[in-house]
Amino acid sequence: LGEHLEALRQTLIRVLIVIGAGSVICFLGYRQLVDLLTYPFQMLPNAQPLVLLGPADGFSIALRLSFWCSLTVTSPVWLYLIFRFLQPALMAHERHTLMLFSIVSAVFMALGILFAYYVTIPI
């Protein structure tokens, strides 16, 4: 039990490091992320600039956007780390099913993001 908990702790620490590093990288490119996400709104005929309602809104939005972008972009890495931790406890057919589910989920996630960006936001 002790070895298993130690492996779980190491896996969780690695996942947090990956997400944290991704957040820092996304924070450094925050301006480009905002431009990418607001581009469809800027093309509207009566385009208005974004409004910040509080003194800390700009910074909190930057942190939240960086975190969610990092969580999305680094998901293959941290999902692999979690899968690697779970793999010894799974039978062969369970591993196959989980791998197939992961691939299909990633494809649908990408399609959902593209649909939202190119169809829903412009409408």
Side-chain angles (χ1 to χ4, degrees), residues 36-99:
L36 176 73
L37 292 174
T38 58
Y39 178 75
F41 297 112
Q42 294 170 359
M43 295 297 110
L44 294 174
N46 299 330
Q48 301 282 330
L50 294 177
V51 177
L52 302 175
L53 301 176
D57 281 354
F59 185 66
S60 68
I61 289 171
L63 288 179
R64 281 186 276 158
L65 181 62
S66 299
F67 171 74
W68 287 111
C69 180
S70 169
L71 202 63
T72 304
V73 171
T74 63
S75 64
V77 177
W78 57 263
L79 284 172
Y80 170 74
L81 291 171
I82 292 171
F83 176 73
R84 196 176 70 182
F85 171 74
L86 294 174
Q87 188 176 8
L90 300 175
M91 290 187 250
H93 71 281
E94 293 171 334
R95 277 187 227 131
H96 176 71
T97 303
L98 184 61
M99 191 60 68

Side-chain angles (χ1 to χ4, degrees), residues 15-48:
V15 166
L16 290 175
I17 288 172
V18 166
I19 294 172
S23 292
V24 169
I25 292 169
C26 289
F27 187 77
L28 294 175
Y30 163 72
R31 193 75 232 146
Q32 290 83 6
L33 284 173
V34 169
D35 292 341
L36 176 73
L37 292 174
T38 58
Y39 178 75
F41 297 112
Q42 294 170 359
M43 295 297 110
L44 294 174
N46 299 330
Q48 301 282 330

